[in-house]
Amino acid sequence: MPLPKKPTNVKILTGTARADRLNPNEPKPDIAIPSFPDHLSKPAKAEWRRVTKELKDMGLICRLDRAAMAAYCSAYGAWVDAENALQNDGMVTVTPNGLVVQSAWLQIRNKSLEQMHKFAVEFGFTPASRSKVSAAKPDPVNDELAEYMARGQRNRKTL
């Protein structure tokens, strides 16, 4: 399965962007924290508040990211619930027939961790994904993307 394409701002921040391969008409949504989804669990809401502010400060979130961020936070909430249940109930259960089986909470925990990881990579939450991004706090006066695109356009005109 091929890797997903990187957004232009990530290509620029990682130094892999080429002016001749960028879409000059790519939408550039304003940096903003999306509206808060009411359906999240208590731990998921806490995670939303924790990560969205940091992402905004780094210029890596916009209102369009609401569903993806809600999905990440929902997986986080399920993970917390599963971890708490595992601490109380253990990793195995005994069936009425006397068989020892893996707890359903262990499966929920593992699936939630898998989902969290996928979203975490998309948002740059992991050390490996973060190491590929060199993001400074957004500066409305010095928009790196606009500057880069302008340089690329000037270079093409001289060819």
Side-chain angles (χ1 to χ4, degrees):
M1 185 158 113
L3 294 174
K5 291 186 177 186
K6 290 182 186 176
T8 299
N9 64 336
V10 173
K11 289 179 185 178
I12 290 169
L13 295 172
T14 59
T16 60
R18 288 182 42 187
D20 62 329
R21 292 192 178 177
L22 296 179
N23 177 0
N25 299 318
E26 180 179 350
K28 292 192 316 183
D30 292 332
I31 296 164
I33 294 175
S35 60
F36 191 81
D38 294 328
H39 67 277
L40 296 176
S41 67
K42 188 175 179 178
K45 288 177 182 177
E47 181 69 352
W48 176 282
R49 289 183 192 99
R50 184 183 75 83
V51 297
T52 54
K53 177 169 180 352
E54 294 220 18
L55 287 170
K56 182 181 183 244
D57 290 346
M58 291 187 294
L60 296 175
I61 194 164
C62 71
R63 286 185 295 278
L64 293 171
D65 296 327
R66 183 177 192 257
M69 181 55 58
Y72 163 78
C73 292
S74 180
Y76 175 87
W79 171 64
V80 170
D81 290 346
E83 287 290 350
N84 290 334
L86 286 169
Q87 287 178 12
N88 293 332
D89 303 337
M91 292 195 183
V92 295
T93 58
V94 180
T95 68
N97 296 337
L99 295 171
V100 177
V101 295
Q102 192 178 59
S103 167
W105 289 112
L106 188 60
Q107 295 169 11
I108 293 168
R109 183 199 69 180
N110 292 343
K111 187 64 175 176
S112 297
L113 285 172
E114 191 179 297
Q115 292 168 339
M116 284 170 50
H117 181 263
K118 287 179 182 178
F119 284 107
V121 169
E122 289 292 322
F123 282 106
F125 294 171
T126 66
S129 64
R130 203 170 36 252
S131 72
K132 297 174 184 167
V133 176
S134 176
K137 290 189 179 186
D139 180 0
V141 177
N142 183 18
D143 178 11
E144 287 184 283
L145 178 58
E147 191 176 292
Y148 182 84
M149 295 300 289
R151 270 198 318 264
Q153 293 296 326
R154 284 193 302 268
N155 290 343
R156 265 195 251 160
K157 288 178 185 175
T158 60
L159 293 177

